């Protein structure tokens, strides 16, 4: 029997109806042994996530204001689930513990963690599973990072003794012994940690979309879903802004070679997206490009100098000036007499005069040109460099759409081509690339 670790996001456990759907999914397969639960999310567009309600309640208590009404509203979110499902669970005493905590000396992370803690206890009671409090087995180190090995050993030992269990997402214990949370969306990380510790065959991440899309649906109409993607391709697309999961959720399972399956709680019949350690080639249909993602908000600093090519250490000095200002660079396209550095516009803005003065003083360029409206687009696909004509197709698509290419970088990972375009052309460029690689025969 395959062992599956599953994580349900906030929208998948937002109310009693969603609880029922999640329970049906879990119980429909006997290998679905270990479940990680988020706090209740939004029930509709204008609703508030329980985690946000908890932070707001903490703020009231920490500033000495009356928090009782806010806490009462949170209790109501949980009691409506438990009453509707007829779960026998003593919410009253849980909330009196929380109320006392807020009175005696509130801690922000502890408060935020109560959403996952209570929702997981409710789900465990509903399913008849054991409950595991990650405060006893997920550890952070002195620097505030996950202590991966200690956690894996402790959690592994606990899971061994359980048939089926629900683990609360989002938190663990800090080096000081207090509850500590991951950053927002961190239940994804807990899910990955549980999958690794359980030596699961698959990590199912249940959410409210049927997987990852091949382009941003806010820009491209009805982009195709991605059926399979490698960890490497995912990393390239996520870096360019495509988000499907918490970034840190990939590491624990990638390390253990466990595939992730992104699934939709509201459409369990959809197979979703498989994120796998290795893929032979691209998708079965022979598609070269797996996904396209991009971001606005970059600037280019272009330095021109005759015979720049012969000046030993020029590039190192230019990059050193930028690094000394605390700005990290994204790409460094260069020519015989020119060199450009692409940086994040926001980081650059604060250090602009310092960087430009230093470049003038120490490199004496013939020209120094700054452009603060660059958008980067990454076209990602495994093995596309071995396929002839990909770059040509990409450039002619942009030319046909009348988009001027400001920068080109064929990633050395060999699975992406990055182009820089004017921010004003971003949407047009993304659509032109999508049409060419996904719609054209
Ligand atoms: N409930 C937390 C949040 O809203 C963690 C999570 O849902 O993954 O960020």
């Amino acid at each position: 029997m395959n062992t599956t670790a599953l994580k349900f996001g906030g929208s998948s456990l937002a109310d009693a109806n969603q609880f029922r759907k999640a329970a049906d999914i879990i119980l429909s397969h006997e290998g679905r042994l270990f479940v990680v639960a988020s706090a209740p999310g939004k029930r509709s567009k204008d609703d508030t996530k329980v985690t946000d309600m908890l932070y707001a309640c903490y703020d009231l208590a920490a500033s000495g204001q009356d928090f009782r009404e806010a806490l009462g509203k949170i209790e109501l979110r949980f009691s409506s689930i438990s009453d509707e499902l007829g779960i026998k669970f003593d919410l009253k005493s849980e909330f009196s513990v929380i109320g006392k905590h807020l009175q005696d000396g509130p801690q922000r992370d502890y408060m935020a963690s109560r959403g996952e803690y209570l929702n997981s206890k409710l789900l465990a009671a509903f399913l008849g599973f054991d409950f595991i409090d990650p405060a006893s087995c997920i550890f952070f180190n002195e620097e505030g990072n996950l202590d991966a090995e200690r956690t894996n050993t402790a959690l592994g030992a606990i899971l061994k003794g359980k048939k089926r269990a629900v683990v609360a997402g989002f938190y663990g214990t800090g080096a000081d012994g207090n509850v500590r949370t991951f950053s927002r969306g961190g239940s994804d990380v807990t899910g990955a940690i549980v999958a690794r510790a359980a030596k699961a065959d698959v990590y199912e991440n249940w959410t409210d979309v049927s997987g990852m899309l091949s382009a941003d649906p806010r820009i491209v109409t009805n982009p195709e879903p991605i059926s399979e993607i490698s960890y490497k391709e995912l990393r390239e697309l996520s870096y360019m802004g495509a988000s499907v999961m918490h970034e840190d959720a990939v590491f624990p399972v990638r390390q253990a070679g466990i595939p992730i399956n992104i699934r939709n709680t509201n459409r369990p019949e959809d197979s979703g997206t498989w994120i796998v350690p290795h893929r032979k080639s691209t998708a079965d249909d022979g598609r070269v490009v797996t996904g396209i993602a991009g971001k606005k908000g970059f600037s280019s600093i272009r330095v021109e100098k005759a015979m720049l090519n012969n000046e030993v250490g020029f590039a190192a000095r230019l990059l050193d000036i930028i690094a000394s200002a605390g700005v990290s660079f994204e790409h460094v396209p260069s020519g015989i007499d020119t060199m450009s550095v692409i940086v994040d516009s926001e980081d650059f803005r604060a250090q602009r005069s310092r960087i430009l003065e230093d470049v003038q003083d120490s490199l004496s360029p013939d020209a120094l040109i700054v452009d603060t409206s660059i958008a980067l687009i990454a076209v990602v696909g495994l093995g596309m460099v071995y396929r002839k004509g990909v770059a040509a197709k990409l450039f002619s698509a942009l030319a046909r759409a009348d988009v001027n290419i400001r920068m080109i970088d064929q990633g050395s990972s060999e699975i992406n081509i990055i182009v820089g375009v004017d921010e004003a052309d971003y949407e047009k460029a993304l659509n032109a690339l999508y049409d060419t690689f996904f719609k054209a025969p």
Side-chain angles (χ1 to χ4, degrees), residues 38-39 49 51 116 170 184-187:
S38 281
K49 283 176 150 197
T51 307
E116 271 66 16
F170 192 38
R184 294 301 301 266
S187 300

Side-chain angles (χ1 to χ4, degrees), residues 7-11 37-41 49-52 54-55 112 115-116 169-170 182-190 246:
K7 177 254 168 180
F8 286 87
S11 60
S38 281
K49 283 176 150 197
V50 163
T51 307
D52 290 321
L54 288 161
Y55 280 124
E116 271 66 16
F170 192 38
F182 291 103
S183 55
R184 294 301 301 266
S187 300
D188 282 339
V189 188
T190 312
H246 194 295

Side-chain angles (χ1 to χ4, degrees), residues 2 21 24 178 199 230 251 265 282 326 330 360 380 395-396:
N2 274 358
K21 289 186 196 168
D24 283 349
N178 290 323
K199 298 194 170 61
S230 68
F251 294 104
T265 305
T282 43
E330 306 286 331
Q360 285 291 2
V380 177
F395 298 133
S396 53

Side-chain angles (χ1 to χ4, degrees), residues 382-441:
L382 201 73
M384 62 190 242
V385 279
Y386 304 113
R387 205 65 77 94
K388 281 181 204 144
V390 179
K393 222 169 150 183
L394 184 151
F395 298 133
S396 53
L398 293 178
R400 270 198 312 275
D402 198 25
V403 172
N404 187 11
I405 301 175
R406 315 291 296 274
M407 184 215 87
I408 303 159
D409 189 353
Q410 163 116 48
S412 46
S413 64
E414 299 194 334
I415 59 168
N416 69 354
I417 298 177
I418 293 169
V419 287
V421 300
D422 206 281
E423 280 181 346
D425 286 338
Y426 176 63
E427 285 80 7
K428 191 164 68 169
L430 209 75
N431 272 296
L433 292 172
Y434 182 82
D435 286 352
T436 294
F437 288 109
F438 288 86
K439 283 195 187 155

Side-chain angles (χ1 to χ4, degrees), residues 51 54-55 58-59 101-102 105-117 140 144 169-174 176 178-184:
T51 307
L54 288 161
Y55 280 124
Y58 162 83
D59 286 342
H101 165 85
L102 286 174
Q107 289 175 7
R108 194 167 187 271
D109 280 12
Y110 172 83
M111 254 325 260
S113 74
R114 295 305 85 184
E116 271 66 16
Y117 168 82
F140 292 85
F170 192 38
Y171 70 95
T173 294
D176 59 1
N178 290 323
V179 162
R180 187 183 170 95
T181 63
F182 291 103
S183 55
R184 294 301 301 266

Side-chain angles (χ1 to χ4, degrees), residues 33-44:
L33 302 183
F34 302 115
V35 183
V36 170
S38 281
K42 293 183 180 190
R43 292 160 296 185
S44 61

